[in-house]
Amino acid sequence: MGRKELTGKISTLLILLLLTGAIFFFSLLKGKVSYTFSDLFSRKGEADIILLNIRLPRCITALIVGGILSISGVVLQGILQNPLAEPYTLGISGGGALGTTIAVILGFGIAGRVGLSFAGALLSIFLVLLLAQRRGITPASLILSGVIISFLFTSLVLLLFSLSHTREIHEVYSWMMGNLSTLTLHQAKIFFLLSLPFIPLLFTGRELNVLSMGDERAHSLGIVPSRWRLFLFLLTAYLAGMSISFTGIIGFVGLMVPHLLRLAWGENNIFLLPASFLAGGSFLLLCDFLARNIAYPEEIPVGVITGILGSIFFFFLFLKGKYGNIT
Amino acid sequence: MRQRLIFLLLFLFIPLSFLAGEINRIVSLSPDITKSILLLGEEKKIVGVTRYSPIHNKPVIGSILQINIEKVVSLKPDLILATKEGNPKEVIEKLRSLKLKVIVLNEQKSIGDVFRNFLYLGEILDKEREAEKIINQVKEKLEKIKEKWKGKTPIPTFIQVGISPLVTVGSDTPLNEMLEIAGGKNIFSHLKRYPRINPEEVWRRNPRVYFVVSMGKKISPLFPPRGVKIYFLSAEDFASLTPVDVLKGVELIYHYLWEEKN
């Protein structure tokens, strides 16, 4: 890569960073009750509570979850060599849903729900690996195992639905549509700490590039593909599973953002990873802003917004004939 | 001509009276219907109930949403009582296609609806007088509660239903009306049914009392405004309402609004 290209990519990253920052503060300050930048530092009465306790946890989590889902998409599309791969391909959404359903039925509060949801996601990861490693940790076996485990857990969730109250079903169903509206500052802090492993993931671009070239090439460059696939898979699954425990299932971000950026940036994962993180974070921040303001004071599940915007995007992408990155 | 009219009228009335006389085996597909039948003193006629009914020695035919049709049929009911709100339409249609008599009660969106359904049940069971008596007693006591806070300003109140997402009650719900009778003002009464809302608006509207309605374990209120009084209500007391439940609920809410020195 020439110096010009490098400078170009770095400056675009910086612009993305600034843009993300702007969107973050826009989302934080604007709403039915709008604040100015200086309000952040003056701490008077109501400003305190709405900004700090309600919007800040929401915005921080949206930024990080959007980023995590996007880089998970990039990584999974790379290691599975499948452009339709995204964080939920490998069954964690089913596991998370089962955990949440059990927690709701048992009457647990938020802490219990997050905990059980994460446990469910971990269980599904474990089962997928158990199943896949019998045939070797290859893209095909991982995807197949993911589908099988996903079906299993979803069926269990539906079984539990058939035995529960309407209210319980509604709550789980809402979780499955994604929800950032009930996050407290305390939860956001915990989430932030638990999500820090995303940072090393941002720097695995080189290995990801090599893995996408096929196993033989990888060996010749000194990278053991199955081990790296396992490591990347585990890290991604942990991050995505942990995210959905806090926010429910937010779809499309992991699928759409990597494709959008590849159109603009090309396939190089070294830059695609940080760029996707920022773009995904910005996208989810905007979607959450819409989710909480479009029908104010009523809230729309954020997963619905990402789904609709994501579908529209893919529709135009398809129309424009930009198949190059999909097939 | 007049003879024909009389004959026609008799023809209409006789089947109805036979109906009341012939009902001995009732399957209830909803807890509120079961409770109402108990209130009207017809417990012995119940042969099947749903899972969370307050009655323990009768066969269970499933839950409101998951009804075991075979079980219902095996109990050989004369009458099956269902609700529009809770029971799935397909189940009701299937039961009717099996030549079983199913009467469906309308949704309860207000206290008036609760009374209407209860009266209708009374008619079906030939216990109209008892039903009217109970309703009038409840109405009287509700008026007395209204008198108690007369002249004072209704207290701005927020009702949280469920943990996540944040859901409250709007205007066409019995709970909203019960709150108003007890002297509270629902800060979201301009919305309808059970809207999912943005917590910012709760804070903006500054309620003085915050009710958390939960099933089973107590759940925490979400972002309660500073200085607000928080009280917990059990969902079981406010779902599946009979007129007596309405009265008990209003009394409880009144107590929390005006009598608790928190």
Side-chain angles (χ1 to χ4, degrees):
Chain A
M1 184 181 342
R3 239 186 109 189
K4 222 180 176 180
E5 215 189 315
L6 187 65
T7 335
K9 289 218 155 97
I10 291 182
S11 37
T12 319
L13 264 179
L14 279 172
I15 294 175
L16 256 179
L17 187 62
L18 285 171
L19 190 67
T20 308
I23 293 177
F24 178 82
F25 284 106
F26 172 79
S27 197
L28 182 66
L29 298 173
K30 296 286 162 220
K32 172 82 179 198
V33 187
S34 279
Y35 301 99
T36 61
F37 216 76
S38 51
D39 284 330
L40 278 176
F41 308 102
S42 60
R43 307 202 101 218
K44 44 179 179 184
E46 196 185 284
D48 219 359
I49 305 303
I50 292 189
L51 269 191
L52 273 186
N53 287 20
I54 299 178
R55 284 197 200 158
L56 191 60
R58 246 182 129 136
C59 291
I60 292 180
T61 312
L63 177 61
I64 299 180
V65 169
I68 285 179
L69 290 174
S70 301
I71 60 176
S72 301
V74 173
V75 170
L76 284 172
Q77 282 160 15
I79 64 179
L80 297 177
Q81 287 168 287
N82 185 324
L84 290 178
E86 41 103 35
Y88 310 127
T89 306
L90 297 178
I92 56 159
S93 53
L98 184 62
T100 306
T101 310
I102 294 177
V104 169
I105 289 179
L106 291 177
F108 287 177
I110 300 277
R113 291 182 189 191
V114 171
L116 268 183
S117 178
F118 187 46
L122 287 179
L123 179 64
S124 64
I125 297 170
F126 174 69
L127 288 175
V128 167
L129 280 176
L130 201 65
L131 209 57
Q133 56 95 25
R134 298 183 126 260
R135 303 282 189 117
I137 311 281
T138 62
S141 69
L142 279 174
I143 294 180
L144 211 57
S145 317
V147 169
I148 294 171
I149 298 300
S150 210
F151 266 126
L152 172 67
F153 279 111
T154 310
S155 308
L156 289 174
V157 168
L158 291 176
L159 172 65
L160 288 176
F161 271 9
S162 70
L163 300 170
S164 20
H165 281 299
T166 322
R167 173 111 294 268
E168 291 163 351
I169 299 174
H170 274 173
E171 296 218 335
V172 177
Y173 198 66
S174 285
W175 178 88
M176 300 210 289
M177 293 193 277
N179 177 30
L180 291 165
S181 65
T182 51
L183 292 163
T184 62
L185 204 55
H186 179 65
Q187 287 160 15
K189 283 182 196 161
I190 296 178
F191 172 74
F192 176 73
L193 289 171
L194 289 175
S195 70
L196 289 174
F198 82 80
I199 297 174
L201 193 61
L202 285 174
F203 295 103
T204 58
R206 183 184 159 260
E207 285 75 18
L208 206 55
N209 284 343
V210 173
L211 279 175
S212 324
M213 289 191 256
D215 283 17
E216 278 175 23
R217 196 70 193 278
H219 278 296
S220 71
L221 285 167
I223 288 178
V224 184
S226 58
R227 250 187 242 155
W228 265 98
R229 259 197 291 271
L230 181 62
F231 167 66
L232 288 172
F233 167 65
L234 283 174
L235 190 50
T236 316
Y238 160 76
L239 286 168
M242 202 264 312
S243 297
I244 64 168
S245 304
F246 281 87
T247 67
I249 298 174
I250 298 175
F252 260 107
V253 186
L255 185 58
M256 189 190 94
V257 174
H259 281 296
L260 233 187
L261 288 177
R262 281 198 196 99
L263 282 178
W265 286 67
E267 301 277 346
N268 192 340
N269 289 301
I270 297 177
F271 293 100
L272 198 60
L273 279 170
S276 295
F277 186 89
L278 292 171
S282 305
F283 177 63
L284 193 55
L285 274 168
L286 282 174
C287 287
D288 185 54
F289 178 79
L290 289 173
R292 68 172 197 263
N293 286 311
I294 280 185
Y296 194 88
E298 297 195 41
E299 282 253 4
I300 299 177
V302 69
V304 169
I305 309 263
T306 59
I308 292 176
L309 289 181
S311 309
I312 295 176
F313 158 73
F314 262 119
F315 180 65
F316 282 115
L317 191 71
F318 197 68
L319 278 185
K320 279 199 146 186
K322 301 270 184 195
Y323 300 138
N325 295 299
I326 305 223
T327 48
Chain B
M1 185 57 217
R2 216 203 299 170
Q3 275 180 334
R4 270 209 186 158
L5 202 62
I6 295 174
F7 184 74
L8 208 65
L9 286 170
L10 273 176
F11 199 71
L12 283 173
F13 277 119
I14 290 172
L16 271 178
S17 57
F18 270 144
L19 177 68
E22 272 185 18
I23 297 176
N24 287 310
R25 301 179 66 79
I26 302 175
V27 166
S28 158
L29 298 184
S30 183
D32 56 317
I33 296 175
T34 311
K35 285 191 278 183
S36 298
I37 300 177
L38 291 177
L39 279 174
L40 293 169
E42 296 286 82
E43 185 177 341
K44 52 185 176 353
K45 291 193 177 171
I46 302 177
V47 296
V49 294
T50 52
R51 194 173 288 130
Y52 298 101
S53 300
I55 203 175
H56 301 291
N57 53 351
K58 304 275 181 180
V60 170
I61 49 88
S63 65
I64 301 183
L65 290 174
Q66 295 294 126
I67 295 168
N68 188 332
I69 295 183
E70 277 181 29
K71 185 86 190 257
V72 173
V73 172
S74 73
L75 292 167
K76 297 199 181 44
D78 305 315
L79 176 65
I80 300 170
L81 292 166
T83 60
K84 202 186 218 175
E85 221 164 347
N87 304 125
K89 209 165 147 201
E90 314 86 65
V91 171
I92 295 173
E93 279 168 17
K94 177 79 187 178
L95 289 168
R96 281 184 174 150
S97 75
L98 295 169
K99 302 281 186 275
L100 290 170
K101 180 157 198 59
V102 184
I103 292 183
V104 183
L105 297 180
N106 284 323
E107 299 164 273
Q108 299 189 149
K109 290 190 173 169
S110 65
I111 297 181
D113 288 342
V114 176
F115 289 166
R116 253 184 296 275
N117 279 350
F118 191 70
L119 200 57
Y120 187 36
L121 265 174
E123 281 171 26
I124 297 171
L125 298 172
D126 201 23
K127 290 272 179 161
E128 249 179 282
R129 226 170 289 147
E130 284 81 356
E132 274 172 19
K133 191 165 149 218
I134 293 174
I135 289 176
N136 287 332
Q137 279 174 348
V138 167
K139 275 186 179 169
E140 242 182 79
K141 293 198 176 148
L142 287 177
E143 283 302 314
K144 286 212 183 102
I145 292 178
K146 269 191 189 162
E147 287 294 313
K148 285 209 267 189
W149 61 268
K150 195 169 177 184
K152 302 188 198 164
T153 331
I155 302 178
T157 308
F158 175 66
I159 303 177
Q160 175 182 330
V161 183
I163 311 182
S164 185
L166 185 58
V167 174
T168 189
V169 297
S171 59
D172 49 353
T173 58
L175 188 46
N176 180 67
E177 215 182 318
M178 286 161 71
L179 176 67
E180 285 182 357
I181 294 178
K185 174 85 184 96
N186 179 4
I187 56 175
F188 287 105
S189 59
H190 56 291
L191 300 176
K192 293 212 174 286
R193 293 261 80 193
Y194 300 99
R196 183 184 159 141
I197 51 161
N198 188 333
E200 290 177 30
E201 187 64 0
V202 178
W203 195 271
R204 237 177 51 90
R205 287 187 175 249
N206 203 24
R208 293 228 305 280
V209 171
Y210 194 117
F211 283 115
V212 182
V213 182
S214 61
M215 299 188 78
K217 299 201 185 129
K218 274 190 191 168
I219 58 177
S220 328
L222 204 59
F223 308 123
R226 248 197 283 265
V228 80
K229 293 190 193 159
I230 302 169
Y231 301 113
F232 296 91
L233 299 174
S234 170
E236 289 86 26
D237 294 337
F238 292 91
S240 288
L241 295 168
T242 65
V244 171
D245 292 330
V246 168
L247 178 62
K248 284 201 194 131
V250 172
E251 283 171 349
L252 187 62
I253 295 174
Y254 175 87
H255 170 75
Y256 283 132
L257 284 176
W258 304 101
E259 291 173 351
E260 275 281 323
K261 299 293 171 216
N262 205 0

